[in-house]
Short mmCIF file of all heavy atoms in Angstrom, two decimals:
data_model
loop_
_atom_site.label_atom_id
_atom_site.label_comp_id
_atom_site.label_asym_id
_atom_site.label_seq_id
_atom_site.Cartn_x
_atom_site.Cartn_y
_atom_site.Cartn_z
N GLU A 1 134.22 -67.72 -103.38
CA GLU A 1 133.37 -66.62 -103.67
C GLU A 1 132.03 -66.72 -102.98
O GLU A 1 131.44 -65.74 -102.53
CB GLU A 1 133.19 -66.44 -105.21
CG GLU A 1 134.45 -66.06 -105.92
CD GLU A 1 134.25 -65.83 -107.41
OE1 GLU A 1 133.04 -65.79 -107.82
OE2 GLU A 1 135.21 -65.70 -108.15
N ASP A 2 131.48 -67.94 -102.92
CA ASP A 2 130.21 -68.14 -102.21
C ASP A 2 130.32 -67.77 -100.75
O ASP A 2 129.41 -67.13 -100.20
CB ASP A 2 129.74 -69.62 -102.33
CG ASP A 2 129.30 -69.97 -103.72
OD1 ASP A 2 129.00 -69.04 -104.51
OD2 ASP A 2 129.21 -71.17 -104.05
N LEU A 3 131.42 -68.14 -100.14
CA LEU A 3 131.60 -67.77 -98.73
C LEU A 3 131.72 -66.27 -98.56
O LEU A 3 131.16 -65.66 -97.64
CB LEU A 3 132.84 -68.44 -98.16
CG LEU A 3 133.17 -68.21 -96.70
CD1 LEU A 3 132.00 -68.63 -95.80
CD2 LEU A 3 134.42 -68.87 -96.28
N MET A 4 132.41 -65.63 -99.49
CA MET A 4 132.55 -64.16 -99.43
C MET A 4 131.22 -63.47 -99.61
O MET A 4 130.96 -62.44 -99.00
CB MET A 4 133.58 -63.67 -100.50
CG MET A 4 135.01 -64.03 -100.16
SD MET A 4 135.60 -63.28 -98.58
CE MET A 4 135.34 -64.67 -97.47
N GLY A 5 130.39 -64.04 -100.46
CA GLY A 5 129.03 -63.48 -100.60
C GLY A 5 128.28 -63.54 -99.29
O GLY A 5 127.57 -62.58 -98.92
N CYS A 6 128.43 -64.61 -98.54
CA CYS A 6 127.78 -64.78 -97.25
C CYS A 6 128.36 -63.78 -96.26
O CYS A 6 127.61 -63.14 -95.52
CB CYS A 6 127.96 -66.23 -96.76
SG CYS A 6 127.27 -66.51 -95.12
N VAL A 7 129.68 -63.64 -96.31
CA VAL A 7 130.34 -62.71 -95.39
C VAL A 7 129.85 -61.29 -95.63
O VAL A 7 129.52 -60.54 -94.69
CB VAL A 7 131.87 -62.78 -95.56
CG1 VAL A 7 132.56 -61.64 -94.87
CG2 VAL A 7 132.39 -64.11 -95.03
N LEU A 8 129.77 -60.88 -96.89
CA LEU A 8 129.38 -59.51 -97.22
C LEU A 8 127.92 -59.26 -96.87
O LEU A 8 127.54 -58.23 -96.27
CB LEU A 8 129.60 -59.22 -98.72
CG LEU A 8 129.20 -57.84 -99.18
CD1 LEU A 8 129.96 -56.76 -98.41
CD2 LEU A 8 129.42 -57.69 -100.68
N ALA A 9 127.04 -60.22 -97.20
CA ALA A 9 125.61 -59.98 -97.05
C ALA A 9 125.16 -60.07 -95.59
O ALA A 9 124.22 -59.39 -95.19
CB ALA A 9 124.84 -61.01 -97.84
N ASN A 10 125.86 -60.89 -94.79
CA ASN A 10 125.37 -61.14 -93.43
C ASN A 10 126.34 -60.68 -92.37
O ASN A 10 125.99 -59.84 -91.55
CB ASN A 10 125.08 -62.64 -93.25
CG ASN A 10 124.01 -63.14 -94.21
OD1 ASN A 10 122.90 -62.64 -94.19
ND2 ASN A 10 124.35 -64.10 -95.07
N VAL A 11 127.50 -61.25 -92.38
CA VAL A 11 128.41 -61.04 -91.23
C VAL A 11 128.96 -59.63 -91.17
O VAL A 11 128.86 -58.95 -90.17
CB VAL A 11 129.52 -62.09 -91.27
CG1 VAL A 11 130.42 -61.95 -90.08
CG2 VAL A 11 128.94 -63.49 -91.32
N ILE A 12 129.58 -59.15 -92.24
CA ILE A 12 130.17 -57.86 -92.22
C ILE A 12 129.15 -56.78 -92.02
O ILE A 12 129.31 -55.82 -91.26
CB ILE A 12 130.99 -57.61 -93.52
CG1 ILE A 12 132.15 -58.58 -93.62
CG2 ILE A 12 131.48 -56.16 -93.57
CD1 ILE A 12 133.13 -58.54 -92.45
N SER A 13 128.01 -56.91 -92.68
CA SER A 13 126.98 -55.88 -92.59
C SER A 13 126.20 -55.87 -91.29
O SER A 13 125.70 -54.86 -90.87
CB SER A 13 126.00 -56.02 -93.76
OG SER A 13 126.69 -55.90 -94.99
N VAL A 14 126.10 -57.06 -90.65
CA VAL A 14 125.22 -57.19 -89.51
C VAL A 14 126.01 -57.51 -88.22
O VAL A 14 125.79 -56.87 -87.20
CB VAL A 14 124.16 -58.30 -89.78
CG1 VAL A 14 123.24 -58.43 -88.57
CG2 VAL A 14 123.37 -57.96 -91.01
N TYR A 15 126.87 -58.49 -88.28
CA TYR A 15 127.48 -58.99 -87.05
C TYR A 15 128.90 -58.54 -86.82
O TYR A 15 129.36 -58.48 -85.69
CB TYR A 15 127.47 -60.55 -87.08
CG TYR A 15 126.11 -61.14 -87.24
CD1 TYR A 15 125.61 -61.54 -88.47
CD2 TYR A 15 125.32 -61.30 -86.13
CE1 TYR A 15 124.38 -62.12 -88.60
CE2 TYR A 15 124.02 -61.86 -86.28
CZ TYR A 15 123.58 -62.27 -87.49
OH TYR A 15 122.32 -62.82 -87.64
N GLY A 16 129.64 -58.27 -87.89
CA GLY A 16 131.11 -58.15 -87.78
C GLY A 16 131.58 -56.89 -87.12
O GLY A 16 130.99 -55.84 -87.22
N SER A 17 132.75 -56.99 -86.47
CA SER A 17 133.43 -55.83 -85.91
C SER A 17 134.53 -55.42 -86.87
O SER A 17 134.75 -56.01 -87.90
CB SER A 17 134.03 -56.23 -84.55
OG SER A 17 134.98 -57.26 -84.68
N THR A 18 135.31 -54.36 -86.48
CA THR A 18 136.38 -53.88 -87.33
C THR A 18 137.46 -54.94 -87.65
O THR A 18 137.84 -55.07 -88.80
CB THR A 18 137.01 -52.64 -86.68
OG1 THR A 18 136.01 -51.65 -86.49
CG2 THR A 18 138.11 -52.05 -87.61
N PRO A 19 137.97 -55.67 -86.67
CA PRO A 19 138.94 -56.72 -87.04
C PRO A 19 138.39 -57.76 -87.97
O PRO A 19 139.11 -58.27 -88.87
CB PRO A 19 139.30 -57.33 -85.71
CG PRO A 19 138.99 -56.29 -84.67
CD PRO A 19 137.79 -55.58 -85.20
N ASP A 20 137.10 -58.08 -87.88
CA ASP A 20 136.50 -59.04 -88.79
C ASP A 20 136.55 -58.49 -90.23
O ASP A 20 136.92 -59.17 -91.18
CB ASP A 20 135.01 -59.26 -88.41
CG ASP A 20 134.85 -59.80 -87.04
OD1 ASP A 20 135.74 -60.59 -86.58
OD2 ASP A 20 133.84 -59.48 -86.34
N LEU A 21 136.14 -57.22 -90.36
CA LEU A 21 136.16 -56.57 -91.68
C LEU A 21 137.60 -56.56 -92.24
O LEU A 21 137.83 -56.86 -93.41
CB LEU A 21 135.61 -55.16 -91.62
CG LEU A 21 135.72 -54.35 -92.90
CD1 LEU A 21 134.94 -54.98 -94.04
CD2 LEU A 21 135.24 -52.90 -92.68
N LYS A 22 138.55 -56.18 -91.41
CA LYS A 22 139.90 -56.01 -91.89
C LYS A 22 140.49 -57.37 -92.33
O LYS A 22 141.29 -57.44 -93.30
CB LYS A 22 140.79 -55.38 -90.82
CG LYS A 22 140.49 -53.90 -90.61
CD LYS A 22 141.45 -53.25 -89.60
CE LYS A 22 141.22 -51.79 -89.45
NZ LYS A 22 142.16 -51.14 -88.54
N TYR A 23 140.13 -58.43 -91.63
CA TYR A 23 140.61 -59.75 -92.04
C TYR A 23 140.13 -60.11 -93.43
O TYR A 23 140.90 -60.58 -94.29
CB TYR A 23 140.18 -60.81 -91.06
CG TYR A 23 140.56 -62.22 -91.48
CD1 TYR A 23 141.91 -62.61 -91.52
CD2 TYR A 23 139.62 -63.15 -91.86
CE1 TYR A 23 142.27 -63.86 -91.95
CE2 TYR A 23 139.95 -64.40 -92.31
CZ TYR A 23 141.27 -64.77 -92.35
OH TYR A 23 141.65 -66.01 -92.78
N PHE A 24 138.87 -59.89 -93.71
CA PHE A 24 138.26 -60.30 -94.99
C PHE A 24 138.38 -59.20 -96.07
O PHE A 24 138.14 -59.51 -97.26
CB PHE A 24 136.77 -60.61 -94.80
CG PHE A 24 136.50 -61.89 -94.03
CD1 PHE A 24 135.91 -61.83 -92.79
CD2 PHE A 24 136.84 -63.12 -94.55
CE1 PHE A 24 135.65 -62.98 -92.07
CE2 PHE A 24 136.55 -64.30 -93.86
CZ PHE A 24 135.97 -64.21 -92.62
N LEU A 25 138.75 -58.01 -95.73
CA LEU A 25 138.64 -56.85 -96.66
C LEU A 25 139.32 -57.09 -98.02
O LEU A 25 138.67 -56.90 -99.04
CB LEU A 25 139.22 -55.61 -95.99
CG LEU A 25 139.18 -54.31 -96.86
CD1 LEU A 25 137.78 -53.80 -96.96
CD2 LEU A 25 140.13 -53.29 -96.30
N PRO A 26 140.60 -57.52 -98.08
CA PRO A 26 141.19 -57.68 -99.41
C PRO A 26 140.45 -58.69 -100.27
O PRO A 26 140.26 -58.47 -101.46
CB PRO A 26 142.62 -58.17 -99.06
CG PRO A 26 142.87 -57.65 -97.67
CD PRO A 26 141.53 -57.76 -96.98
N ARG A 27 140.05 -59.78 -99.68
CA ARG A 27 139.36 -60.81 -100.48
C ARG A 27 137.96 -60.33 -100.87
O ARG A 27 137.49 -60.60 -101.98
CB ARG A 27 139.23 -62.11 -99.63
CG ARG A 27 138.56 -63.25 -100.40
CD ARG A 27 139.25 -63.65 -101.63
NE ARG A 27 138.63 -64.80 -102.28
CZ ARG A 27 138.63 -65.05 -103.58
NH1 ARG A 27 139.24 -64.22 -104.41
NH2 ARG A 27 138.04 -66.15 -104.07
N LEU A 28 137.27 -59.61 -99.99
CA LEU A 28 135.97 -59.04 -100.34
C LEU A 28 136.10 -58.11 -101.56
O LEU A 28 135.30 -58.16 -102.49
CB LEU A 28 135.37 -58.28 -99.16
CG LEU A 28 134.80 -59.12 -98.02
CD1 LEU A 28 134.48 -58.24 -96.83
CD2 LEU A 28 133.51 -59.86 -98.47
N LEU A 29 137.14 -57.26 -101.57
CA LEU A 29 137.30 -56.33 -102.65
C LEU A 29 137.70 -57.07 -103.93
O LEU A 29 137.27 -56.69 -105.03
CB LEU A 29 138.36 -55.28 -102.31
CG LEU A 29 137.89 -54.26 -101.24
CD1 LEU A 29 139.09 -53.39 -100.79
CD2 LEU A 29 136.76 -53.42 -101.72
N GLU A 30 138.53 -58.07 -103.78
CA GLU A 30 138.94 -58.85 -104.96
C GLU A 30 137.75 -59.49 -105.64
O GLU A 30 137.57 -59.43 -106.85
CB GLU A 30 139.97 -59.91 -104.55
CG GLU A 30 140.52 -60.73 -105.71
CD GLU A 30 141.65 -61.66 -105.26
OE1 GLU A 30 141.44 -62.35 -104.23
OE2 GLU A 30 142.67 -61.71 -105.95
N VAL A 31 136.91 -60.13 -104.83
CA VAL A 31 135.73 -60.80 -105.36
C VAL A 31 134.75 -59.81 -105.95
O VAL A 31 134.12 -60.05 -106.97
CB VAL A 31 135.05 -61.65 -104.22
CG1 VAL A 31 133.68 -62.15 -104.68
CG2 VAL A 31 135.94 -62.84 -103.87
N ALA A 32 134.63 -58.62 -105.27
CA ALA A 32 133.65 -57.64 -105.73
C ALA A 32 133.92 -57.14 -107.13
O ALA A 32 132.97 -56.79 -107.84
CB ALA A 32 133.65 -56.47 -104.73
N ILE A 33 135.18 -57.09 -107.53
CA ILE A 33 135.49 -56.51 -108.87
C ILE A 33 135.74 -57.58 -109.93
O ILE A 33 135.88 -57.23 -111.09
CB ILE A 33 136.69 -55.57 -108.80
CG1 ILE A 33 137.96 -56.29 -108.43
CG2 ILE A 33 136.43 -54.42 -107.84
CD1 ILE A 33 139.23 -55.44 -108.52
N GLN A 34 135.80 -58.85 -109.54
CA GLN A 34 136.14 -59.84 -110.52
C GLN A 34 135.03 -60.13 -111.53
O GLN A 34 135.29 -60.49 -112.67
CB GLN A 34 136.56 -61.16 -109.82
CG GLN A 34 138.00 -61.10 -109.30
CD GLN A 34 138.39 -62.41 -108.61
OE1 GLN A 34 137.55 -63.11 -108.08
NE2 GLN A 34 139.66 -62.72 -108.63
N LYS A 35 133.78 -60.03 -111.08
CA LYS A 35 132.68 -60.32 -111.99
C LYS A 35 131.96 -59.01 -112.35
O LYS A 35 131.55 -58.25 -111.48
CB LYS A 35 131.70 -61.29 -111.31
CG LYS A 35 132.34 -62.69 -111.12
CD LYS A 35 131.29 -63.73 -110.82
CE LYS A 35 131.92 -65.12 -110.77
NZ LYS A 35 130.96 -66.17 -110.48
#
């Protein structure tokens, strides 16, 4: 979850391209609704 927080806050929002988002998307959504 800590890594996903980093991915969401920095990489996906700032650096990432569409394939980057699609790779992480299911895990990002899973983490987003768990807490």
Side-chain angles (χ1 to χ4, degrees):
E1 293 184 10
D2 287 343
L3 180 60
M4 287 300 95
C6 177
V7 168
L8 179 60
N10 298 300
V11 182
I12 295 303
S13 300
V14 181
Y15 301 98
S17 62
T18 302
D20 302 326
L21 173 62
K22 289 184 176 183
Y23 175 67
F24 289 112
L25 180 74
R27 181 60 176 150
L28 284 169
L29 290 172
E30 183 175 46
V31 169
I33 66 173
Q34 280 180 332
K35 292 195 174 181

